[in-house]
Amino acid sequence: MRCPFYQVDAFTGEAFRGNPAAVLVLETWLPDTALQAIAAENNLAETAFLVHQADRDYQLRWFTPVVEVPLCGHATLASAFVIMTRIDVTADQVWFITASGRLGVHRQGDMFVLDFPAETPVACEPPGDVVAAVGRAPVETLCGSNHLFVYASEAEVRSLKPDMRDLGTALEGGVRGVIATAPCSSDAADVVSRFFAPHHGIPEDPVTGSAHCMIVPYWAARLGTGTIHALQVSRRGGELHCRLRHDRIDIAGKAVAFIEGVALIPP
């Protein structure tokens, strides 16, 4: 089976930065075991699989190298980029049918704007084994689909060196990962973050759109603004322009194509 294949760097305007995602456009769904095997072969944080439904509606699923996930930002951006710049170049909007509902993406200049659900994190006691694995206690801990660890400074977030084996064990059977966040130390942005999910095959995710479903509501309340300019300060780094709209979040970013070709999928 020959399948169109793309690799896209998301949440960046430069190649070799942001978060790389693979995008495969399928005619019909393959077995889940095949989808997972392809994602493991790609060995990227996420592989997105698309199946066209009607008009500009597509089914979309996301796989890490080891597990399917219910929501992914950078691979959604990469999928929209592929559709609107390679498949349907006249489109300025596309809709994805996903495990997290119907998600829209529209073009805005050179950026793609994701319409994602907001998640308001709830204050909780810091889980001791997770804190120990991360290596530094936060000043505030909140919980939701991820742990949200709030630190006093950008320098503290940048200096984190989690024990990934211990963190993976501590997170097994629980939340998806740990978000570490702090105010930005310069006028380059409002906030910074990093994201760790070793039990999902992603020791540190370069740029995590879905994490901002929690980051943005938290900082919007703290900073008194619904507009948040965020940097993810991983080694590759990425930039997200976010706007809180009640129970939804606009997450905007750029994307750059790196690979275009054909995947040869065995029967």
Side-chain angles (χ1 to χ4, degrees):
M1 175 179 171
R2 298 172 64 87
C3 174
F5 174 92
Y6 305 85
Q7 186 171 317
V8 177
D9 293 336
F11 292 118
T12 180
E14 305 174 43
F16 312 125
R17 294 184 59 80
N19 201 351
V23 179
L24 282 85
V25 185
L26 306 174
E27 292 185 3
T28 189
W29 288 111
L30 301 172
D32 287 3
T33 52
L35 300 178
Q36 190 63 74
I38 294 166
E41 182 75 9
N42 292 335
N43 199 31
L44 298 171
E46 302 285 350
T47 294
F49 297 95
L50 296 169
V51 173
H52 184 231
Q53 295 300 289
D55 299 324
R56 286 167 178 163
D57 282 15
Y58 290 79
Q59 286 187 316
L60 171 60
R61 295 172 69 182
W62 310 277
F63 286 76
T64 78
V66 299
V67 68
E68 183 175 8
V69 296
L71 185 64
C72 176
H74 84 280
T76 302
L77 192 160
S79 298
F81 173 87
V82 166
I83 292 168
M84 287 188 257
T85 66
R86 300 300 190 270
I87 297 173
D88 185 358
V89 297
T90 63
D92 58 9
Q93 185 161 346
V94 64
W95 293 93
F96 296 116
I97 302 161
T98 78
S100 293
R102 197 165 183 257
L103 306 176
V105 183
H106 69 271
R107 291 190 77 157
Q108 190 174 76
D110 60 353
M111 290 200 287
F112 297 82
V113 185
L114 316 181
D115 174 12
F116 267 30
E119 180 182 0
T120 302
V122 178
C124 63
E125 288 296 317
D129 53 350
V130 176
V131 172
V134 170
R136 181 187 290 271
V139 296
E140 189 175 2
T141 307
L142 300 97
C143 295
S145 57
N146 297 291
H147 292 304
L148 183 67
F149 282 12
V150 182
Y151 291 90
S153 70
E154 177 179 339
E156 289 179 306
V157 172
R158 288 183 178 273
S159 69
L160 293 175
K161 296 179 180 179
D163 184 314
M164 293 300 177
R165 184 177 64 179
D166 288 352
L167 184 58
T169 300
L171 291 172
E172 282 181 357
V175 299
R176 285 185 289 197
V178 175
I179 305 164
T181 186
C184 187
S185 62
S186 70
D187 60 3
D190 299 311
V191 302
V192 301
S193 69
R194 293 172 68 189
F195 181 75
F196 311 106
H199 65 311
H200 281 180
I202 311 170
E204 178 168 3
D205 198 27
V207 195
T208 317
S210 62
H212 289 76
C213 295
M214 292 181 70
I215 291 170
V216 171
Y218 173 83
W219 284 111
R222 285 285 300 271
L223 300 177
T225 177
T227 303
I228 301 294
H229 182 194
L231 299 179
Q232 197 148 331
V233 291
S234 63
R235 180 182 58 82
R236 289 176 64 103
E239 184 175 20
L240 309 92
H241 300 268
C242 308
R243 182 169 66 97
L244 182 63
R245 297 182 290 106
H246 304 292
D247 62 346
R248 307 293 295 182
I249 297 175
D250 290 337
I251 304 174
K254 299 178 182 179
V256 179
F258 175 59
I259 297 173
E260 299 184 35
V262 176
L264 304 177
I265 300 172

